[in-house]
Amino acid sequence: MNDASLIQSDQDSFESLMDALRNCYENKRALVDIHISEMLSVPKIESENPAQLRFLIDTVRSHLRSLKNLKMDSNVLSDAILLHMLNSKIDKESQRLFQLNLKTTEVPSLRDFFSFLETRCIQLESVRKADSGTKSIPISYKNASFANGKVSTRSKTFLSKHEKKNDAWNATR
C-alpha cells in the first residue's frame, strides 16, 4: 500500500484529498532550511575554473528561485549577506577583480555580483580556449633589447612554441 492511499479526508473530493496531501507533506520551514543549507554548502572554488563558477551560479540561482516560489523574497540585507558568503566561495583572483570592478563604496547588489560572475566565466572560458589552441611558454629576459634582433627584458615576454621554433630555426641559418 502506498502513502497516498493512507491519506484520508473528511470528504472524498479531489480538492479535499489534495489539501490532506499538502498538509501531510508540505513543510515550508523544512524546505526553506534545505535550500539555505544547500546554498551555504556550495564548495569553495580554489582556482580560476569557469565550470566551477557556473556550478556556483546555477546552484545558487536555482535555490533562490525555489525560495521565491515558497514566498521567501530577498531584500537588501539578505542579498548583502548572501553576496558576502558567495564572495568567500570564489577564487582569490575573482574576488580581487570583483573588488576592482566596483565603482563606489555602496554595497553591491546580488544582481551585480552574478553579472560579474557571468562575465568572469566568459573570460575564463575564452582564455582556456585560447590556451588550448596555442601552448605558451613564459619567457623572461633581463636587460635585453630588440636592437640587432635581440629581445628586450624590461618586460616579461611570452613566446608560443611555434615562435620559439622559428627563433631556433632562424638562429641556425
Side-chain angles (χ1 to χ4, degrees):
M1 198 181 292
N2 61 19
D3 289 343
S5 64
L6 297 175
I7 302 296
Q8 296 181 9
S9 71
D10 55 352
Q11 302 171 4
D12 284 333
S13 71
F14 177 77
E15 268 313 304
S16 68
L17 289 172
M18 284 304 293
D19 288 341
L21 277 171
R22 277 189 209 102
N23 290 335
C24 183
Y25 291 106
E26 190 175 279
N27 184 342
K28 185 175 180 178
R29 183 178 53 212
L31 292 172
V32 168
D33 285 346
I34 289 168
H35 290 296
I36 291 173
S37 177
E38 289 294 317
M39 285 191 292
L40 293 174
S41 67
V42 171
K44 182 168 176 48
I45 301 168
E46 298 297 334
S47 63
E48 298 173 317
N49 185 318
Q52 290 177 350
L53 273 177
R54 288 236 184 259
F55 176 79
L56 181 137
I57 294 165
D58 294 344
T59 299
V60 172
R61 279 187 171 158
S62 172
H63 290 294
L64 287 174
R65 274 192 305 276
S66 296
L67 288 167
K68 190 171 186 170
N69 288 336
L70 291 167
K71 308 291 188 251
M72 299 294 298
D73 292 328
S74 63
N75 60 36
V76 175
L77 177 59
S78 65
D79 281 359
I81 292 168
L82 192 56
L83 190 148
H84 178 81
M85 183 273 300
L86 293 173
N87 191 51
S88 72
K89 299 278 187 172
I90 63 176
D91 63 275
K92 295 293 183 193
E93 181 63 13
S94 295
Q95 288 176 5
R96 188 183 77 76
L97 291 172
F98 178 65
Q99 292 301 319
L100 291 173
N101 191 47
L102 299 175
K103 306 290 185 231
T104 68
T105 58
E106 294 295 314
V107 177
S109 70
L110 193 56
R111 178 178 291 149
D112 290 341
F113 185 69
F114 280 129
S115 177
F116 166 79
L117 291 180
E118 291 283 352
T119 301
R120 184 78 174 127
C121 284
I122 292 167
Q123 292 167 342
L124 290 173
E125 288 164 349
S126 295
V127 167
R128 285 217 169 160
K129 286 178 187 172
D131 285 349
S132 67
T134 303
K135 298 286 183 193
S136 293
I137 302 169
I139 305 288
S140 65
Y141 298 95
K142 293 183 181 173
N143 301 328
S145 67
F146 278 110
N148 300 325
K150 306 270 179 169
V151 178
S152 171
T153 60
R154 293 186 183 143
S155 63
K156 290 185 179 178
T157 305
F158 290 86
L159 299 176
S160 71
K161 286 182 180 178
H162 178 72
E163 291 169 333
K164 191 173 181 183
K165 285 179 184 175
N166 283 343
D167 287 347
W169 185 80
N170 288 334
T172 61
R173 291 173 72 192

Short mmCIF file of all heavy atoms in Angstrom, two decimals, residues 132-173:
data_model
loop_
_atom_site.label_atom_id
_atom_site.label_comp_id
_atom_site.label_asym_id
_atom_site.label_seq_id
_atom_site.Cartn_x
_atom_site.Cartn_y
_atom_site.Cartn_z
N SER A 132 44.28 26.45 -25.12
CA SER A 132 44.31 25.11 -25.69
C SER A 132 44.72 25.14 -27.16
O SER A 132 45.25 24.16 -27.67
CB SER A 132 42.95 24.42 -25.53
OG SER A 132 41.97 25.08 -26.32
N GLY A 133 44.53 26.28 -27.83
CA GLY A 133 44.92 26.40 -29.23
C GLY A 133 46.40 26.63 -29.40
O GLY A 133 47.03 26.10 -30.31
N THR A 134 47.00 27.42 -28.53
CA THR A 134 48.43 27.72 -28.59
C THR A 134 49.00 27.57 -27.20
O THR A 134 48.62 28.29 -26.30
CB THR A 134 48.67 29.18 -29.07
OG1 THR A 134 48.04 29.34 -30.32
CG2 THR A 134 50.14 29.48 -29.17
N LYS A 135 49.90 26.65 -27.04
CA LYS A 135 50.57 26.48 -25.75
C LYS A 135 51.62 27.57 -25.63
O LYS A 135 52.47 27.71 -26.50
CB LYS A 135 51.23 25.10 -25.65
CG LYS A 135 50.26 23.96 -25.75
CD LYS A 135 49.49 23.84 -24.47
CE LYS A 135 48.58 22.63 -24.55
NZ LYS A 135 47.61 22.59 -23.52
N SER A 136 51.54 28.33 -24.57
CA SER A 136 52.51 29.40 -24.36
C SER A 136 53.54 28.98 -23.34
O SER A 136 53.23 28.31 -22.37
CB SER A 136 51.81 30.67 -23.87
OG SER A 136 50.99 31.17 -24.88
N ILE A 137 54.76 29.41 -23.60
CA ILE A 137 55.86 29.14 -22.68
C ILE A 137 56.30 30.49 -22.13
O ILE A 137 56.73 31.35 -22.91
CB ILE A 137 57.03 28.47 -23.41
CG1 ILE A 137 56.56 27.18 -24.07
CG2 ILE A 137 58.19 28.22 -22.46
CD1 ILE A 137 57.57 26.60 -25.02
N PRO A 138 56.18 30.72 -20.84
CA PRO A 138 56.62 32.01 -20.31
C PRO A 138 58.13 32.14 -20.39
O PRO A 138 58.86 31.23 -20.02
CB PRO A 138 56.14 32.00 -18.87
CG PRO A 138 55.80 30.59 -18.56
CD PRO A 138 55.63 29.85 -19.83
N ILE A 139 58.57 33.26 -20.93
CA ILE A 139 59.99 33.52 -21.07
C ILE A 139 60.25 34.89 -20.46
O ILE A 139 59.55 35.84 -20.76
CB ILE A 139 60.42 33.57 -22.56
CG1 ILE A 139 60.02 32.31 -23.30
CG2 ILE A 139 61.90 33.86 -22.69
CD1 ILE A 139 60.82 31.09 -22.93
N SER A 140 61.25 35.01 -19.63
CA SER A 140 61.61 36.33 -19.11
C SER A 140 63.07 36.58 -19.41
O SER A 140 63.90 35.67 -19.37
CB SER A 140 61.33 36.43 -17.62
OG SER A 140 62.15 35.54 -16.90
N TYR A 141 63.38 37.79 -19.74
CA TYR A 141 64.74 38.18 -20.08
C TYR A 141 65.13 39.34 -19.17
O TYR A 141 64.29 40.11 -18.75
CB TYR A 141 64.82 38.63 -21.54
CG TYR A 141 64.46 37.56 -22.52
CD1 TYR A 141 63.17 37.47 -23.01
CD2 TYR A 141 65.40 36.62 -22.94
CE1 TYR A 141 62.83 36.48 -23.92
CE2 TYR A 141 65.06 35.65 -23.84
CZ TYR A 141 63.76 35.58 -24.33
OH TYR A 141 63.43 34.61 -25.23
N LYS A 142 66.41 39.52 -18.96
CA LYS A 142 66.87 40.63 -18.15
C LYS A 142 67.72 41.57 -18.99
O LYS A 142 68.67 41.15 -19.64
CB LYS A 142 67.68 40.12 -16.95
CG LYS A 142 66.85 39.35 -15.97
CD LYS A 142 67.66 38.93 -14.78
CE LYS A 142 66.79 38.13 -13.84
NZ LYS A 142 67.53 37.56 -12.75
N ASN A 143 67.37 42.83 -18.95
CA ASN A 143 68.13 43.91 -19.57
C ASN A 143 68.55 43.64 -21.02
O ASN A 143 69.65 43.93 -21.42
CB ASN A 143 69.39 44.23 -18.74
CG ASN A 143 69.02 44.65 -17.34
OD1 ASN A 143 67.97 45.24 -17.14
ND2 ASN A 143 69.87 44.32 -16.39
N ALA A 144 67.67 43.06 -21.80
CA ALA A 144 67.95 42.86 -23.23
C ALA A 144 67.18 43.92 -24.00
O ALA A 144 66.38 44.65 -23.45
CB ALA A 144 67.53 41.47 -23.67
N SER A 145 67.40 43.99 -25.30
CA SER A 145 66.66 44.94 -26.12
C SER A 145 66.36 44.30 -27.46
O SER A 145 66.89 43.25 -27.79
CB SER A 145 67.49 46.22 -26.31
OG SER A 145 68.62 45.92 -27.09
N PHE A 146 65.51 44.96 -28.27
CA PHE A 146 65.19 44.43 -29.58
C PHE A 146 66.24 44.85 -30.62
O PHE A 146 66.16 44.47 -31.76
CB PHE A 146 63.80 44.91 -30.03
CG PHE A 146 62.69 44.09 -29.47
CD1 PHE A 146 61.85 44.61 -28.51
CD2 PHE A 146 62.48 42.78 -29.87
CE1 PHE A 146 60.82 43.85 -27.99
CE2 PHE A 146 61.47 42.02 -29.36
CZ PHE A 146 60.63 42.55 -28.41
N ALA A 147 67.18 45.60 -30.22
CA ALA A 147 68.23 46.03 -31.16
C ALA A 147 68.99 44.81 -31.67
O ALA A 147 69.29 43.90 -30.92
CB ALA A 147 69.19 46.99 -30.45
N ASN A 148 69.27 44.80 -32.94
CA ASN A 148 70.01 43.71 -33.59
C ASN A 148 69.32 42.36 -33.42
O ASN A 148 69.95 41.33 -33.27
CB ASN A 148 71.45 43.63 -33.06
CG ASN A 148 72.21 44.91 -33.31
OD1 ASN A 148 72.00 45.55 -34.34
ND2 ASN A 148 73.06 45.30 -32.38
N GLY A 149 67.96 42.37 -33.41
CA GLY A 149 67.21 41.12 -33.34
C GLY A 149 67.17 40.47 -31.96
O GLY A 149 66.76 39.34 -31.82
N LYS A 150 67.61 41.19 -30.93
CA LYS A 150 67.59 40.66 -29.57
C LYS A 150 66.28 41.07 -28.89
O LYS A 150 65.69 42.08 -29.20
CB LYS A 150 68.77 41.20 -28.76
CG LYS A 150 70.10 40.98 -29.39
CD LYS A 150 70.67 39.69 -28.94
CE LYS A 150 72.03 39.52 -29.63
NZ LYS A 150 72.77 38.48 -29.13
N VAL A 151 65.84 40.30 -27.92
CA VAL A 151 64.60 40.56 -27.21
C VAL A 151 64.87 41.41 -25.98
O VAL A 151 65.83 41.17 -25.26
CB VAL A 151 63.93 39.22 -26.78
CG1 VAL A 151 62.67 39.46 -26.00
CG2 VAL A 151 63.67 38.37 -27.99
N SER A 152 64.02 42.41 -25.73
CA SER A 152 64.16 43.27 -24.55
C SER A 152 63.64 42.54 -23.32
O SER A 152 62.64 41.84 -23.38
CB SER A 152 63.36 44.56 -24.75
OG SER A 152 63.32 45.27 -23.55
N THR A 153 64.29 42.72 -22.21
CA THR A 153 63.85 42.07 -20.97
C THR A 153 63.28 43.06 -19.98
O THR A 153 63.10 42.73 -18.82
CB THR A 153 65.01 41.32 -20.29
OG1 THR A 153 66.00 42.28 -20.00
CG2 THR A 153 65.52 40.21 -21.14
N ARG A 154 63.01 44.24 -20.41
CA ARG A 154 62.41 45.21 -19.50
C ARG A 154 61.02 44.77 -19.08
O ARG A 154 60.50 45.18 -18.06
CB ARG A 154 62.38 46.57 -20.15
CG ARG A 154 63.77 47.12 -20.34
CD ARG A 154 63.74 48.51 -20.84
NE ARG A 154 65.13 48.92 -21.07
CZ ARG A 154 65.50 49.67 -22.04
NH1 ARG A 154 64.64 50.13 -22.91
NH2 ARG A 154 66.78 49.99 -22.18
N SER A 155 60.37 43.95 -19.90
CA SER A 155 59.07 43.39 -19.54
C SER A 155 59.08 41.91 -19.88
O SER A 155 59.83 41.47 -20.74
CB SER A 155 57.95 44.09 -20.31
OG SER A 155 58.10 43.86 -21.68
N LYS A 156 58.23 41.15 -19.21
CA LYS A 156 58.15 39.73 -19.50
C LYS A 156 57.53 39.52 -20.87
O LYS A 156 56.60 40.21 -21.25
CB LYS A 156 57.31 39.01 -18.44
CG LYS A 156 57.99 38.96 -17.11
CD LYS A 156 57.19 38.15 -16.14
CE LYS A 156 57.89 38.08 -14.81
NZ LYS A 156 57.15 37.34 -13.83
N THR A 157 58.02 38.57 -21.58
CA THR A 157 57.53 38.26 -22.91
C THR A 157 57.08 36.81 -22.93
O THR A 157 57.71 35.96 -22.32
CB THR A 157 58.63 38.47 -23.96
OG1 THR A 157 59.11 39.80 -23.83
CG2 THR A 157 58.12 38.24 -25.36
N PHE A 158 56.00 36.53 -23.63
CA PHE A 158 55.51 35.16 -23.77
C PHE A 158 55.62 34.77 -25.23
O PHE A 158 55.07 35.42 -26.10
CB PHE A 158 54.05 35.06 -23.31
CG PHE A 158 53.90 35.22 -21.84
CD1 PHE A 158 53.79 36.46 -21.26
CD2 PHE A 158 53.89 34.11 -21.01
CE1 PHE A 158 53.67 36.60 -19.90
CE2 PHE A 158 53.76 34.24 -19.65
CZ PHE A 158 53.66 35.49 -19.08
N LEU A 159 56.36 33.73 -25.47
CA LEU A 159 56.52 33.24 -26.83
C LEU A 159 55.82 31.91 -26.96
O LEU A 159 55.91 31.06 -26.09
CB LEU A 159 58.01 33.06 -27.17
CG LEU A 159 58.89 34.30 -27.13
CD1 LEU A 159 60.34 33.91 -27.38
CD2 LEU A 159 58.43 35.31 -28.15
N SER A 160 55.12 31.71 -28.06
CA SER A 160 54.49 30.41 -28.27
C SER A 160 55.55 29.42 -28.72
O SER A 160 56.64 29.79 -29.13
CB SER A 160 53.39 30.52 -29.32
OG SER A 160 53.95 30.72 -30.59
N LYS A 161 55.23 28.15 -28.67
CA LYS A 161 56.16 27.11 -29.12
C LYS A 161 56.55 27.33 -30.57
O LYS A 161 57.68 27.14 -30.96
CB LYS A 161 55.53 25.72 -28.94
CG LYS A 161 55.48 25.26 -27.52
CD LYS A 161 54.89 23.87 -27.45
CE LYS A 161 54.82 23.37 -26.04
NZ LYS A 161 54.20 22.05 -25.94
N HIS A 162 55.54 27.75 -31.36
CA HIS A 162 55.80 27.99 -32.78
C HIS A 162 56.84 29.09 -32.96
O HIS A 162 57.77 28.95 -33.76
CB HIS A 162 54.48 28.34 -33.48
CG HIS A 162 54.64 28.65 -34.93
ND1 HIS A 162 54.92 27.69 -35.87
CD2 HIS A 162 54.57 29.82 -35.60
CE1 HIS A 162 55.02 28.26 -37.06
NE2 HIS A 162 54.81 29.56 -36.92
N GLU A 163 56.67 30.20 -32.22
CA GLU A 163 57.62 31.31 -32.33
C GLU A 163 59.00 30.88 -31.86
O GLU A 163 60.01 31.26 -32.43
CB GLU A 163 57.14 32.50 -31.50
CG GLU A 163 55.90 33.17 -32.07
CD GLU A 163 55.29 34.16 -31.10
OE1 GLU A 163 55.46 34.01 -29.87
OE2 GLU A 163 54.64 35.09 -31.56
N LYS A 164 59.05 30.07 -30.81
CA LYS A 164 60.32 29.60 -30.28
C LYS A 164 61.04 28.73 -31.31
O LYS A 164 62.24 28.84 -31.50
CB LYS A 164 60.10 28.84 -28.97
CG LYS A 164 61.38 28.56 -28.23
CD LYS A 164 61.11 27.98 -26.87
CE LYS A 164 62.43 27.73 -26.17
NZ LYS A 164 62.28 27.10 -24.90
N LYS A 165 60.28 27.86 -32.01
CA LYS A 165 60.85 27.01 -33.05
C LYS A 165 61.42 27.87 -34.18
O LYS A 165 62.50 27.62 -34.70
CB LYS A 165 59.83 26.04 -33.58
CG LYS A 165 59.55 24.89 -32.65
CD LYS A 165 58.51 23.97 -33.26
CE LYS A 165 58.13 22.87 -32.30
NZ LYS A 165 57.05 22.05 -32.82
N ASN A 166 60.62 28.92 -34.57
CA ASN A 166 61.08 29.81 -35.63
C ASN A 166 62.36 30.52 -35.22
O ASN A 166 63.28 30.69 -36.03
CB ASN A 166 60.00 30.83 -36.01
CG ASN A 166 58.92 30.21 -36.86
OD1 ASN A 166 59.10 29.14 -37.44
ND2 ASN A 166 57.79 30.88 -36.96
N ASP A 167 62.42 30.99 -33.95
CA ASP A 167 63.62 31.67 -33.49
C ASP A 167 64.81 30.71 -33.52
O ASP A 167 65.92 31.09 -33.90
CB ASP A 167 63.42 32.21 -32.07
CG ASP A 167 62.49 33.42 -32.05
OD1 ASP A 167 62.21 33.99 -33.11
OD2 ASP A 167 62.06 33.78 -30.94
N ALA A 168 64.60 29.48 -33.09
CA ALA A 168 65.66 28.49 -33.10
C ALA A 168 66.09 28.19 -34.54
O ALA A 168 67.28 28.06 -34.85
CB ALA A 168 65.23 27.22 -32.40
N TRP A 169 65.12 28.09 -35.45
CA TRP A 169 65.43 27.82 -36.85
C TRP A 169 66.19 28.98 -37.46
O TRP A 169 67.18 28.79 -38.18
CB TRP A 169 64.12 27.57 -37.62
CG TRP A 169 64.36 27.16 -39.04
CD1 TRP A 169 64.70 25.94 -39.49
CD2 TRP A 169 64.28 28.01 -40.19
NE1 TRP A 169 64.83 25.93 -40.85
CE2 TRP A 169 64.56 27.21 -41.30
CE3 TRP A 169 63.97 29.34 -40.38
CZ2 TRP A 169 64.57 27.71 -42.59
CZ3 TRP A 169 63.97 29.84 -41.66
CH2 TRP A 169 64.29 29.02 -42.75
N ASN A 170 65.77 30.24 -37.16
CA ASN A 170 66.44 31.42 -37.68
C ASN A 170 67.87 31.52 -37.14
O ASN A 170 68.77 31.99 -37.83
CB ASN A 170 65.67 32.69 -37.34
CG ASN A 170 64.41 32.83 -38.17
OD1 ASN A 170 64.33 32.30 -39.27
ND2 ASN A 170 63.44 33.55 -37.62
N ALA A 171 68.10 31.06 -35.91
CA ALA A 171 69.43 31.13 -35.31
C ALA A 171 70.39 30.17 -36.01
O ALA A 171 71.60 30.42 -36.03
CB ALA A 171 69.34 30.80 -33.83
N THR A 172 69.88 29.09 -36.60
CA THR A 172 70.74 28.11 -37.28
C THR A 172 71.07 28.54 -38.70
O THR A 172 71.92 27.92 -39.32
CB THR A 172 70.08 26.71 -37.31
OG1 THR A 172 68.86 26.78 -38.02
CG2 THR A 172 69.88 26.19 -35.89
N ARG A 173 70.43 29.53 -39.21
CA ARG A 173 70.67 29.96 -40.59
C ARG A 173 71.88 30.78 -40.75
O ARG A 173 72.47 31.40 -40.04
CB ARG A 173 69.48 30.75 -41.12
CG ARG A 173 68.28 29.85 -41.29
CD ARG A 173 67.06 30.59 -41.63
NE ARG A 173 67.16 31.07 -43.01
CZ ARG A 173 66.33 31.94 -43.53
NH1 ARG A 173 65.37 32.44 -42.84
NH2 ARG A 173 66.43 32.33 -44.76
#
